[in-house]
Amino acid sequence: MVTRTDAPTRREQILKEAARLFAERGFHGVGVDEIGAAVGISGPGLYRHFPGKDAMLAELLVGISGQLLTGAKRRVAEADGVPATRVLDSLIEGHIDFALDDRPLITLHDRELDRLRDSDRKLVRQLQRQYVELWVEVVRAVYPGLTEPAARSAVHSVFGLLNSTPHLGRAGTLPGRGTTAALLHRMARGAFEAAGEQ
């Protein structure tokens, strides 16, 4: 993910708090007044930024799928000419950043994806498929003996591993971001290596 150095916009603040609250209490368990209070504006004031909670949910889930794909494409482009193992390491690092920094969005995706309008849900799935296929191509460059279906299964398995971060405990109870990121990276590479040994 791209690291921002400027202050988040009000819209970004709203989305961040909405993601946190939706992940904690569920989409229907949170009202616009609570989201507004979390960012210091009235509930009705939110309607200057979003038409409603459904629009927030759609922007969160479509947005993160698009960001992951864009970030992965950027990492692959920047790694042009380097060994495929380094490209794979870069993809893993990018997904770990997401898994550690955007944990509420993982929970939100798991619980609330079906609440999206059909068109938004299809867009999320389309972006996710493109993201997976980008990984499959890189994994097969590192492990040329893997068939496409096996590589795809390995990628989905690694995503399951990395996206388990919401179940690791509260952020303050983890051993530290660097240590956790390194552990996740070793486990992801180990999973791909095991798949490549078939």
Side-chain angles (χ1 to χ4, degrees):
M1 308 297 275
V2 177
T3 302
R4 291 182 58 103
T5 55
D6 52 336
T9 65
R10 174 65 80 185
R11 188 178 180 86
E12 290 167 337
Q13 291 171 343
I14 292 167
L15 286 172
K16 180 179 179 181
E17 289 305 316
R20 179 183 65 79
L21 290 167
F22 292 159
E24 286 175 4
R25 300 207 298 269
F27 180 73
H28 287 304
V30 178
V32 292
D33 290 338
E34 294 168 276
I35 298 169
V39 294
I41 60 177
S42 69
L46 288 179
Y47 293 113
R48 288 196 300 273
H49 303 277
F50 296 95
K53 288 195 318 179
D54 290 337
M56 290 179 216
L57 182 64
E59 187 158 333
L60 284 164
L61 295 181
V62 172
I64 194 57
S65 297
Q67 288 172 38
L68 283 169
L69 178 59
T70 299
K73 286 180 175 178
R74 178 182 48 78
R75 286 173 179 273
V76 169
E78 288 172 353
D80 188 36
V82 305
T85 53
R86 286 185 42 201
V87 180
L88 181 57
D89 283 333
S90 182
L91 288 176
I92 292 169
E93 288 163 10
H95 199 94
I96 288 171
D97 285 344
F98 157 68
L100 291 176
D101 297 339
D102 293 309
R103 292 166 71 188
L105 289 176
I106 296 172
T107 301
L108 199 57
H109 179 277
D110 289 346
R111 290 184 188 162
E112 311 291 355
L113 181 64
D114 289 342
R115 298 195 189 284
L116 292 181
R117 291 179 309 172
D118 285 346
S119 59
D120 289 327
R121 190 168 53 252
K122 285 177 183 174
L123 179 55
V124 168
R125 293 299 191 200
Q126 177 186 10
L127 293 167
Q128 289 173 340
R129 278 193 299 274
Q130 291 176 45
Y131 184 61
V132 168
E133 293 312 309
L134 187 149
W135 276 69
V136 167
E137 187 176 329
V138 173
V139 168
R140 293 190 73 207
V142 177
Y143 305 102
L146 271 181
T147 65
E148 192 172 306
R152 192 171 293 108
S153 293
V155 167
H156 280 291
S157 297
V158 167
F159 288 171
L161 168 75
L162 298 179
N163 290 347
S164 68
T165 54
H167 307 291
L168 296 179
R170 293 186 315 277
T173 65
L174 298 178
R177 192 187 190 288
T179 302
T180 303
L183 173 62
L184 290 170
H185 197 117
R186 288 195 305 274
M187 292 174 72
R189 281 304 300 270
F192 283 129
E193 286 167 19
E197 289 171 359
Q198 66 171 2

